[in-house]
Amino acid sequence: MITFVTGTDTGVGKTVATAALAVHSEPDVVVAKPTQTGADEPDVEVVRRLAGCEVVQFTQLADPLAPDTAARLREVHIPGIDSHASRIRELAEHRGTVIVEGAGGALVRLDTAGGTLPDLAADLGRDHEVRVHVVTRVGLGTLNHTELTVEALRSRGVQPAGLVLGSVPEELDLAARCNLAELPRITGVPVLATLPEGSGALPPQEFRTRAASWFRPS
């Protein structure tokens, strides 16, 4: 199984969602981050700290920009989707689950050739079972962002398997309360998990203990 984690935007909670999915997966899970740009604590280190699983990163770029932009700024070449897919297939040969975390929103370019996470998922979907989860906010404005993301995935032949609500506050305002029901209704995609606000700041053992309770029964 290859699971992709993408989002409606940057900062929606993809990395914490990736860690929670890793905890919720079988023991031999590995997490892959094709391209990482400018972070004080890289996403792979956050996932490794929270989930305690093996994590691999293909390309690191210093500037906090979209991967393609960061690469062009520094005149660096990022290998294309074929290269990413090959490395992920190699991981999948030896692991029951590979979780692939994207960068930013779904259509952010992951390489200098313009490949995106939906392109990568479609490529790998030809010979592997692939699931794509969309991490989104619960507050005002999320309906448009989430529906656009889901439509973009479907237009490229990728059917999202689930929504993950990242950083959900304990006290919900009117918009958030309504969106809990509206998000699956307007997208036709079920809510897989609800991650409480501040989950990424939990001590690792507490994070791992609590992660299972954030997922909806399948």
Side-chain angles (χ1 to χ4, degrees):
M1 167 75 74
I2 300 174
T3 298
F4 287 87
V5 179
T6 189
T8 56
D9 198 355
T10 191
V12 294
K14 291 188 303 298
T15 300
V16 175
T18 297
L21 282 165
V23 172
H24 199 60
S25 299
E26 49 195 306
D28 66 341
V29 64
V30 60
V31 172
K33 179 81 174 183
T35 311
Q36 171 74 57
T37 62
D40 293 334
E41 184 182 18
D43 295 344
V44 292
E45 296 302 330
V46 175
V47 173
R48 186 179 289 116
R49 171 171 55 81
L50 292 175
C53 65
E54 182 180 352
V55 187
V56 296
Q57 179 177 285
F58 301 163
T59 301
Q60 169 86 46
L61 297 164
D63 300 290
L65 302 167
D68 178 45
T69 305
R72 287 188 292 108
L73 179 67
R74 301 294 178 179
E75 298 183 344
V76 173
H77 174 74
I78 307 175
I81 292 300
D82 288 347
S83 175
H84 293 330
S86 177
R87 296 186 68 174
I88 293 167
R89 284 189 176 94
E90 185 176 349
L91 291 171
E93 287 179 4
H94 306 287
R95 299 301 185 97
T97 301
V98 180
I99 301 176
V100 182
E101 183 188 351
L107 297 189
V108 165
R109 297 180 176 192
L110 299 179
D111 57 58
T112 43
T116 65
L117 185 135
D119 297 326
L120 183 56
D123 185 310
L124 288 162
R126 292 198 293 266
D127 51 15
H128 284 80
E129 183 182 358
V130 166
R131 293 169 62 86
V132 177
H133 299 312
V134 176
V135 184
T136 186
R137 297 181 173 90
V138 73
L140 190 64
T142 193
L143 298 182
N144 178 62
H145 294 159
T146 308
E147 193 163 14
L148 285 172
T149 300
V150 168
E151 286 187 2
L153 289 165
R154 287 175 175 153
S155 72
R156 289 157 176 80
V158 177
Q159 174 61 41
L163 302 177
V164 176
L165 307 181
S167 195
V168 177
E170 185 174 353
E171 297 293 330
L172 301 179
D173 61 16
L174 177 61
R177 293 196 301 273
C178 291
N179 289 340
L180 289 174
E182 290 296 288
L183 281 165
R185 185 186 71 82
I186 67 168
T187 62
V189 180
V191 173
L192 171 73
T194 302
L195 277 56
E197 188 176 56
S199 299
L202 292 172
Q205 191 54 56
E206 184 178 354
F207 180 91
R208 297 167 202 172
T209 299
R210 294 178 59 183
S213 68
W214 301 333
F215 288 81
R216 307 285 179 89
S218 56

